[in-house]
Amino acid sequence: MSMKDYHTIVAGTDGSGLADQVIARAAWLAVRDDADLVVVCAFSELPRRTEARNMATLGGDARLGQVLGRAAAGQALQAATVTARDEGASVAAALLVDGEPAMALLTTAEERSADLIVLGAIQDRSLIDRLLGTVATEVTKRAGCDVLIVRPTGVGGDLGVSEDAPPA
């Protein structure tokens, strides 16, 4: 049995520390397979006044995996592009998508005929995540291509977050 090479890799970012690891892994794979790397950042458009207040919260509402505001999403996307280039990959496209993260990844993967989606996930921490699911759960259920889930590095992948805290 031979492993297939990836030609197009879609990777999601929300500007978090885990997103850096996701982009680094996707970039490594893109370099290894000489694949196109497409980076996606889903965001929720906010009124200008609210967006200005959220400029410092690069990563937005981590529970949704969605960055709050176009400016913060642009910063997250720019940081992801730098990370990918630092890993030796060239970014074929860096896309800001106003909408829900799972749909942004799935739609982009379909439109680009992606062979692989790379995204991050931590262990379920909240009752809401267990009931409604997560971005990773939705993507793995619906993707028409391979999905690589990157867990946080560290001891056992545990971030040490209390159960009440939103996941990172």
Side-chain angles (χ1 to χ4, degrees), residues 2-71:
S2 66
M3 298 296 287
K4 72 177 184 177
D5 288 337
Y6 295 113
H7 301 286
T8 303
I9 298 170
V10 171
T13 185
D14 63 2
S16 67
L18 179 55
D20 287 342
Q21 295 172 38
V22 168
I23 298 302
R25 181 72 55 87
W28 180 84
L29 286 166
V31 169
R32 187 195 75 173
D33 287 356
D34 193 27
D36 289 336
L37 178 59
V38 178
V39 181
V40 177
C41 183
F43 71 98
S44 175
E45 190 63 71
L46 300 172
R48 287 189 187 274
R49 178 172 281 208
T50 306
E51 183 175 354
R53 275 188 245 134
N54 285 310
M55 284 288 291
T57 58
L58 187 76
D61 185 353
R63 179 174 297 152
L64 299 175
Q66 190 172 40
V67 177
L68 297 178
R70 181 179 291 274

Side-chain angles (χ1 to χ4, degrees), residues 67-86:
V67 177
L68 297 178
R70 181 179 291 274
Q75 290 176 354
L77 199 57
Q78 183 178 20
T81 301
V82 168
T83 298
R85 289 188 179 135
D86 287 350

